[in-house]
Amino acid sequence: MAKSIEPNIADLANGWLKSYNLDYKLEQESLNTETDKALSDYFTKNGGSGANRPDAKLLLKDKNLDHFPILIEYKGYKDKLVKLDASGKVENRTAKNESHFKNINSFAINGAVHYANALLHHTSYTDIIAIGMTGHKDESNNIQHEIGVYYVSKSNFGIGQKVGEFTDFSFLSEKHFDAFVEQVRTLSLSQAELDKIKEQREKEIDTSLVRLNNDIYQNEKGLGENDRVYLVAASIISTLGIPGKVSPLEKSDLKSSTEKGSTDGEIIVRKIEAFLGEKELPEQKKELILRTLKNTLSTDNINKVKNGESQLKRVFTKIVDDLGIYYKIGLTTDFTGKLFNEMYGWLGFSQDKLNDVVLTPSYIATLLAKLARVNKDSYVWDFATGSAGLLVAAMNEMLNDAKNTITSPEELAKKEAEIKAEQLLGLEILSSVYMLAILNMILMGDGSSNILNKDSLQDFDGKYGFGETDKKFPADAFILNPPYSAQGNGMNFVEKALGMMNKGYAAIIIQGSSGSGKAKAINHKILKKHTLLASIKMPIDLFIGKSSVQTHIYVFKVNEPHHQDEMVKFIDFSNDGYTRTNRKKSSNNLKDKDRAKERYEELISLVRFGKSKLTIFTENEYYENTIDPKNGDDWNQSIPVDTKPTLQDFKKTVGDYLAWEVSNLLKQQTGEGNNSGK
């Protein structure tokens, strides 16, 4: 049985490093102020206890001169190499989406991966090797050790992937390091694994945004709701940087000076100007962004220096520390939409106005994109863009399809650029919300070129807003969550958009009453030119805490008149597998209780292929029937309940009655026999 004597694991490891001629690099790297400061800042912000440095760190280069920080953590105990969660990933987050410091401080790999995320967050490094090593002395007083090697990268959202099995550090030597890097490069995650990691990271974003918004609301006076959104956008844009052209803004660059031209606001504005200039945005759009952000960044109060620091620097620091990791790892999500949605808790909207501005949950936005059959070659538009959450979801679907079908790196890069610049178009009439959409798409990699500040019903002629402005946007996919206060609950947007398309599909989420009479006349016009393929009843609590209306999703085939014999798929999706709560302090208000992801996939298959795809759903939740193309108020049908008795019902009733009669006769006979025997 092993003793609990703690051996000097560091001596063993450092002996290896010396034998591989790496000890000088170890000493040299300890002078690297960038990584030291990053680790210090990360631990200060995240409240970690104990040492705030890895036990060893190196900076190695491969044959292509790419730099790889190597972070090593030692634990001199048995069974303290790594703590994994139920899915086999390094468990560094609690159920409340907070740093799991018990694991980070107790397990070698968990600590090393945590350090690696600090570098992803606070430095320009995107590929880091995290190594954990533990050991104990056996009964013969010999050191028994274990090593774990993980790759932590922007490509795996910082979650960490195990590289392989190793018994010493020789893979770091000059002789073997290039081969090791090749092994790292072959690591990959399936789309399902990436989606799961992304979902977890998005929950972390929600938690961070709640904390950040509450902090600013409670402690930073004088900032309105729009100011908070613009400060987040300005801070993030200024820290993005463009390799070789624009350096990211660092917290240390803000000096909280009162000197004209050197205030924190002016420094941030200059950095944003440089960033937008390199992005080659249309001049009109660039000026609009700068003008809007300057209104917040240049105010006297936010730049006033108190105790050596401006309010702007203080808020900038909070934003970068709370959110920096998520956009640095390239997480493509409706960032500003999530922030604005979180702010609804502080806003005084009326119920009608709230219904108009409510954010579409990201998983519903993705569902709409899939129902509209979006792929890498689609041209997608949204006539009530809001924060651009639906376009972000569509863009992600398009980029994923491109990655899965294009094998040439050069062709893939070209296609990704085309998708972002040419294949998305959004319209938003409210100028403040329009700014959110532009900033959101910039954060997602700049798909903002054709986000237009126009009235889609009155001022839009179907053409590109920037670039080839005389050319029609060849839309073949339409997704929408309209303002419900509009005519027909927003069906007027649907009529306009579909009428400008020559082919394709559309998926809209809308108040259910639009299909049962509220938009009867508009629906009649739509069916003259387009086919209703499916009507999906959504959960009543889908927008819990934001809106209380019953919604439906309607799916259309474009430019094909609805035939009276066309079978429409009516699907009751009231049970989508999720349970929802509206607790502000909850770490997760959306929980998968009954195969939710599988239900969403089955829903997409049912709409596309029909009844043959029924697996989880029952036949009571799927119904096919015709609608009257000249009507427009029969879009929300459900499976009819047949109350007419059948012959079988009659036979059963008669049988039950005869059984009752026989039972009574037997009881009477038994009773008479007993009386006669007394």
Side-chain angles (χ1 to χ4, degrees):
M1 182 176 178
K3 299 176 182 179
S4 58
I5 300 172
E6 181 177 341
N8 194 339
I9 297 300
D11 284 347
L12 176 62
N14 288 335
W16 288 338
L17 295 174
K18 184 175 182 180
S19 68
Y20 307 139
N21 200 29
L22 294 170
D23 56 331
Y24 79 96
K25 293 188 178 183
L26 183 72
E27 184 178 326
Q28 193 178 50
E29 174 59 14
S30 67
L31 303 175
N32 188 315
T33 56
E34 183 185 22
T35 56
D36 278 351
K37 187 175 186 308
L39 293 166
S40 178
D41 286 351
Y42 197 69
F43 266 73
T44 300
K45 176 62 184 175
N46 288 280
S49 58
N52 61 359
R53 301 285 192 282
D55 291 307
K57 52 188 173 64
L58 304 92
L59 187 62
L60 303 182
K61 287 189 294 187
D62 67 0
K63 62 184 179 182
N64 297 318
L65 303 183
D66 292 327
H67 286 81
F68 290 84
I70 315 293
L71 306 180
I72 309 174
E73 179 74 357
Y74 307 130
K75 297 292 179 189
Y77 303 94
K78 186 180 181 182
D79 300 327
K80 292 295 182 181
L81 183 64
V82 64
K83 183 68 167 65
L84 302 176
D85 61 21
S87 63
K89 297 291 186 290
V90 177
E91 188 176 29
N92 277 3
R93 307 294 294 188
T94 67
K96 294 182 178 180
N97 282 318
E98 298 171 346
S99 292
H100 201 314
F101 282 112
K102 182 179 179 180
N103 289 350
I104 291 165
N105 291 326
S106 300
F107 294 90
I109 289 172
N110 296 66
V113 168
H114 187 66
Y115 297 129
N117 271 272
L119 297 195
L120 277 181
H121 190 159
H122 292 289
T123 74
S124 58
Y125 297 119
T126 58
D127 298 282
I128 301 142
I129 306 302
I131 301 173
M133 180 175 173
T134 60
H136 65 279
K137 287 183 178 179
D138 61 20
E139 292 178 339
S140 301
N141 212 34
N142 296 318
I143 294 177
Q144 303 295 328
H145 68 273
E146 285 185 284
I147 295 173
V149 182
Y150 278 69
Y151 173 53
V152 180
S153 168
K154 178 178 178 179
S155 64
N156 59 36
F157 300 130
I159 207 72
Q161 293 171 266
K162 186 175 180 179
V163 180
E165 300 294 336
F166 301 89
T167 57
D168 59 25
F169 290 169
S170 59
F171 62 91
L172 297 176
S173 67
E174 185 176 0
K175 181 179 179 181
H176 299 296
F177 189 63
D178 284 336
F180 170 75
V181 170
E182 289 300 319
Q183 184 178 356
V184 168
R185 296 295 191 200
T186 63
L187 294 175
S188 62
L189 292 169
S190 68
Q191 190 59 50
E193 289 175 313
L194 287 171
D195 289 344
K196 190 169 185 178
I197 295 170
K198 180 183 175 186
E199 180 183 2
Q200 177 60 34
R201 285 300 205 179
E202 286 197 344
K203 289 177 183 176
E204 293 173 24
I205 289 178
D206 290 335
T207 301
S208 294
L209 286 174
V210 170
R211 181 174 61 242
L212 175 66
N213 192 41
N214 189 53
D215 184 356
I216 295 176
Y217 179 81
Q218 297 290 343
N219 302 316
E220 302 297 342
K221 305 305 178 185
L223 296 177
E225 294 84 11
N226 283 344
D227 288 329
R228 274 179 265 166
V229 175
Y230 295 153
L231 281 174
V232 170
S235 299
I236 292 174
I237 290 174
S238 65
T239 57
L240 286 175
I242 298 175
K245 296 180 179 179
V246 180
S247 61
L249 186 70
E250 303 291 343
K251 290 180 287 186
S252 58
D253 294 331
L254 300 182
K255 309 295 185 184
S256 295
S257 170
T258 57
E259 180 182 335
K260 185 174 177 58
S262 299
T263 65
D264 290 338
E266 288 167 320
I267 291 171
I268 294 176
V269 167
R270 284 199 296 272
K271 186 62 70 172
I272 293 172
E273 282 179 322
F275 176 86
L276 296 178
E278 292 295 337
K279 281 292 185 180
E280 298 181 350
L281 289 181
E283 195 64 30
Q284 179 185 357
K285 182 164 291 187
K286 185 169 71 172
E287 289 176 1
L288 173 64
I289 295 172
L290 287 169
R291 185 168 63 249
T292 303
L293 296 182
K294 277 182 181 178
N295 287 338
T296 295
L297 296 171
S298 62
T299 57
D300 291 337
N301 282 340
I302 203 170
N303 285 284
K304 187 183 297 181
V305 179
K306 186 176 181 180
N307 298 325
E309 186 178 53
S310 70
Q311 183 185 41
L312 177 53
K313 180 174 182 178
R314 192 165 58 247
V315 173
F316 175 89
T317 299
K318 291 175 181 178
I319 291 168
V320 172
D321 284 347
D322 270 353
L323 302 178
I325 182 66
Y326 303 113
Y327 59 83
K328 283 205 170 184
I329 60 178
L331 195 61
T332 51
T333 188
D334 181 4
F335 214 117
T336 60
K338 279 179 176 289
L339 177 66
F340 203 66
N341 202 40
E342 161 57 24
M343 295 170 106
Y344 287 157
W346 312 114
L347 301 177
F349 287 134
S350 67
Q351 188 61 45
D352 286 343
K353 185 64 175 173
L354 189 60
N355 287 342
D356 271 2
V357 299
V358 66
L359 177 75
T360 310
S362 60
Y363 60 99
I364 299 298
T366 299
L367 173 65
L368 293 177
K370 289 183 175 181
L371 289 173
R373 308 189 188 185
V374 168
N375 59 52
K376 72 179 189 305
D377 298 316
S378 296
Y379 285 80
V380 187
W381 62 9
D382 178 354
F383 273 37
T385 296
S387 69
L390 299 187
L391 290 181
V392 168
M395 183 176 75
N396 288 339
E397 286 299 307
M398 298 161 81
L399 293 174
N400 286 339
D401 183 48
K403 290 173 185 175
N404 292 333
T405 57
I406 299 175
T407 56
S408 164
E410 186 173 342
E411 288 182 20
L412 177 60
K414 180 181 177 182
K415 186 60 179 177
E416 288 175 338
E418 288 176 356
I419 287 171
K420 294 176 181 180
E422 300 173 11
Q423 294 177 224
L424 298 159
L425 188 146
L427 297 139
E428 175 54 52
I429 191 172
L430 299 176
S431 57
S432 59
V433 180
Y434 166 68
M435 272 301 303
L436 291 182
I438 289 179
L439 296 171
N440 209 1
M441 297 302 283
I442 286 176
L443 297 183
M444 295 309 102
D446 189 20
S448 71
S449 297
N450 283 284
I451 306 294
L452 314 180
N453 187 199
K454 287 187 175 184
D455 184 333
S456 53
L457 299 176
Q458 302 294 329
D459 302 328
F460 181 55
D461 59 3
K463 295 179 181 178
Y464 281 95
F466 299 95
E468 298 183 86
T469 54
D470 59 341
K471 181 180 176 183
K472 290 280 188 180
F473 183 80
D476 55 15
F478 174 54
I479 48 181
L480 180 74
N481 180 3
Y484 298 162
S485 64
Q487 186 181 357
N489 290 339
M491 286 302 294
N492 53 342
F493 287 87
V494 180
E495 182 190 4
K496 176 71 181 288
L498 298 187
M500 301 175 79
M501 298 170 67
N502 294 323
K503 62 177 182 177
Y505 296 88
I508 66 163
I509 185 166
I510 198 166
Q511 198 166 334
S513 56
S514 63
S516 58
K518 190 72 177 288
K520 185 174 180 178
I522 299 175
N523 293 350
H524 180 204
K525 292 179 183 177
I526 290 173
L527 294 178
K528 287 182 178 180
K529 298 179 179 179
H530 315 285
T531 297
L532 178 65
L533 296 179
S535 169
I536 305 164
K537 182 180 181 181
M538 300 302 288
I540 186 65
D541 61 352
L542 188 64
F543 297 100
I544 189 169
K546 308 294 188 300
S547 175
S548 57
V549 299
Q550 175 65 61
T551 55
H552 277 65
I553 289 177
Y554 299 126
V555 183
F556 300 92
K557 186 173 184 180
V558 176
N559 207 23
E560 186 175 301
H562 192 102
H563 194 279
Q564 60 183 4
D565 294 328
E566 184 79 39
M567 298 301 289
V568 180
K569 302 175 180 73
F570 297 97
I571 303 171
D572 185 350
F573 200 49
S574 300
N575 176 18
D576 68 345
Y578 286 121
T579 58
R580 301 167 182 84
T581 58
N582 189 33
R583 297 191 299 269
K584 284 192 174 181
K585 293 185 179 180
S586 174
S587 62
N588 183 14
N589 284 325
L590 182 73
K591 294 185 178 179
D592 186 342
K593 290 294 187 181
D594 187 10
R595 299 170 292 176
K597 293 181 180 62
E598 292 85 351
R599 286 176 179 271
Y600 275 78
E601 288 303 316
E602 185 168 319
L603 176 65
I604 294 164
S605 294
L606 286 171
V607 172
R608 183 77 180 266
F609 304 113
K611 189 175 182 178
S612 64
K613 295 298 181 180
L614 277 177
T615 302
I616 301 175
F617 291 95
T618 67
E619 293 195 2
N620 289 330
E621 295 169 302
Y622 180 88
Y623 172 60
E624 292 187 5
N625 196 23
T626 60
I627 60 173
D628 183 356
K630 297 180 180 179
N631 195 333
D633 64 0
D634 55 353
W635 290 14
N636 299 340
Q637 298 181 33
S638 57
I639 190 166
V641 178
D642 189 1
T643 57
K644 180 181 178 181
T646 64
L647 178 60
Q648 191 63 34
D649 294 329
F650 175 73
K651 289 179 178 180
K652 185 177 185 303
T653 302
V654 171
D656 290 344
Y657 175 76
L658 290 175
W660 176 77
E661 283 280 19
V662 170
S663 176
N664 277 346
L665 286 171
L666 290 174
K667 287 178 182 177
Q668 291 173 10
Q669 290 173 3
T670 303
E672 290 172 359
N674 287 340
N675 289 335
S676 63
K678 280 184 179 180

